Amino acid sequence: MKEGFLSIAETDRAADGRIYVLTHSGARFASDLMRIDIPFRSAQEPITQVNQNAIMHDSIMSFVLSLGLQNQTKDGTPKPLWDGYLTELEFKRIHSSSNIKNVDALVQLANGEVAAVELEASFKRKQQHEKTLLKLRDAMLGENRLYDKVFIIPCSQKINNDTQRFHKQLFEEMPHRYDRKTKQPLLSSDDANKLQEKIIYRTKFIDPIEQTFYR
């Protein structure tokens, strides 16, 4: 408070009737300290100036990217899952079009391939998953290929189960549903099979994420 990084917002939802929220200076300081982007918007209600969920999401993403670089075998031998990465902010600077599926990160694999990383930190509706699959198809199977595969990083086993359940349903349904404009299937059977091969669910991060952020 004295440094001007925090301000008080009154609320009935807190035991003492108030919470502390980041000021603009506080958001900039936190961004420099944590090395993640913390968007700040001017608003009448201080509590809406910073998206706390976005900070949590980006913090977990930074944690996962670091774990991948520091990965080891059981005997302690270094075995990185990737040897470099591009953050979401950097990706958006390169690919600003709204037609391109924004990803949480890109990672460079040892074999030279590039994988997109998508953090699943919350449950999504089936329609949201459908839109994601269509944009992933365009990014990996279209003329302008942006990456070779996708790593889905679920933050819990329940989210993982829910995500895979919807994906399985959509891969079965979409080849039999047609776009009203083109009169073509939303997703061809061939593209559905290719996407299933290229989408990889990395569950090894679930325990570290839960232990670090949710306990």
Side-chain angles (χ1 to χ4, degrees), residues 38-41 47-57:
I38 299 181
F40 182 93
R41 63 176 184 178
I47 198 170
T48 64
Q49 292 178 158
V50 174
N51 187 332
Q52 304 287 352
N53 290 332
I55 297 175
M56 184 72 161
H57 176 281

Side-chain angles (χ1 to χ4, degrees), residues 85-105:
Y85 61 81
L86 196 71
T87 65
E88 177 185 10
L89 189 60
E90 293 166 328
F91 179 85
K92 289 167 69 175
R93 286 173 180 165
I94 299 172
H95 303 289
S96 58
S97 172
S98 60
N99 295 323
I100 294 176
K101 171 70 176 74
N102 186 39
V103 295
D104 294 324

Side-chain angles (χ1 to χ4, degrees), residues 22 30-31 33-39 50-67 85 87-88 104 119 121 153 155 205 208-209 212-214:
L22 288 171
S31 182
L33 187 67
M34 300 168 66
R35 295 295 188 268
I36 63 173
D37 184 41
I38 299 181
V50 174
N51 187 332
Q52 304 287 352
N53 290 332
I55 297 175
M56 184 72 161
H57 176 281
D58 292 348
S59 297
I60 296 175
M61 190 68 253
S62 180
F63 176 70
V64 167
L65 292 173
S66 296
L67 284 183
Y85 61 81
T87 65
E88 177 185 10
D104 294 324
L119 186 72
I153 312 291
C155 289
F205 297 103
I209 289 173
T212 304
F213 292 93
Y214 296 106

Side-chain angles (χ1 to χ4, degrees), residues 1-214:
M1 288 286 294
K2 292 181 179 179
E3 296 293 336
F5 294 155
L6 295 173
S7 63
I8 292 178
E10 296 182 358
T11 175
D12 295 332
R13 302 178 69 179
D16 59 355
R18 63 183 183 177
I19 59 173
Y20 294 92
V21 296
L22 288 171
T23 62
H24 182 261
S25 297
R28 290 179 58 186
F29 176 76
S31 182
D32 291 340
L33 187 67
M34 300 168 66
R35 295 295 188 268
I36 63 173
D37 184 41
I38 299 181
F40 182 93
R41 63 176 184 178
S42 298
Q44 186 174 0
E45 295 294 334
I47 198 170
T48 64
Q49 292 178 158
V50 174
N51 187 332
Q52 304 287 352
N53 290 332
I55 297 175
M56 184 72 161
H57 176 281
D58 292 348
S59 297
I60 296 175
M61 190 68 253
S62 180
F63 176 70
V64 167
L65 292 173
S66 296
L67 284 183
L69 289 175
Q70 300 167 14
N71 189 62
Q72 299 179 344
T73 61
K74 291 182 178 180
D75 62 2
T77 303
K79 189 180 180 182
L81 298 179
W82 41 76
D83 51 27
Y85 61 81
L86 196 71
T87 65
E88 177 185 10
L89 189 60
E90 293 166 328
F91 179 85
K92 289 167 69 175
R93 286 173 180 165
I94 299 172
H95 303 289
S96 58
S97 172
S98 60
N99 295 323
I100 294 176
K101 171 70 176 74
N102 186 39
V103 295
D104 294 324
L106 290 181
V107 293
Q108 176 82 45
L109 307 181
N111 62 4
E113 289 186 328
V114 173
V117 180
E118 282 285 87
L119 186 72
E120 292 291 351
S122 61
F123 294 97
K124 291 183 172 63
R125 298 187 302 275
K126 189 174 183 178
Q127 187 178 14
Q128 291 175 288
H129 285 296
E130 180 177 309
K131 290 180 179 179
T132 293
L133 291 177
L134 290 175
K135 286 197 172 185
L136 289 178
R137 174 202 59 188
D138 295 341
M140 290 189 290
L141 306 178
E143 294 182 2
N144 183 26
R145 299 185 181 184
L146 302 178
Y147 36 84
D148 303 295
K149 59 184 63 174
V150 179
F151 292 153
I152 303 291
I153 312 291
C155 289
S156 74
Q157 191 57 54
K158 289 184 178 180
I159 292 176
N160 176 58
N161 293 341
D162 196 63
T163 300
Q164 292 201 47
R165 176 175 63 87
F166 276 135
H167 283 187
K168 182 179 180 181
Q169 291 177 9
L170 289 166
F171 284 134
E172 293 175 352
E173 296 170 4
M174 291 172 72
H176 304 289
R177 290 167 48 205
Y178 291 83
D179 186 289
R180 293 181 179 179
K181 294 182 179 179
T182 64
K183 308 300 182 184
Q184 297 296 317
L186 287 177
L187 188 70
S188 70
S189 296
D190 185 49
D191 284 351
N193 291 332
K194 289 179 180 178
L195 279 179
Q196 289 183 79
E197 294 176 358
K198 290 178 175 292
I199 296 177
I200 302 167
Y201 307 90
R202 304 301 300 263
T203 58
K204 70 170 291 172
F205 297 103
I206 290 178
D207 286 344
I209 289 173
E210 289 186 334
Q211 291 171 10
T212 304
F213 292 93
Y214 296 106

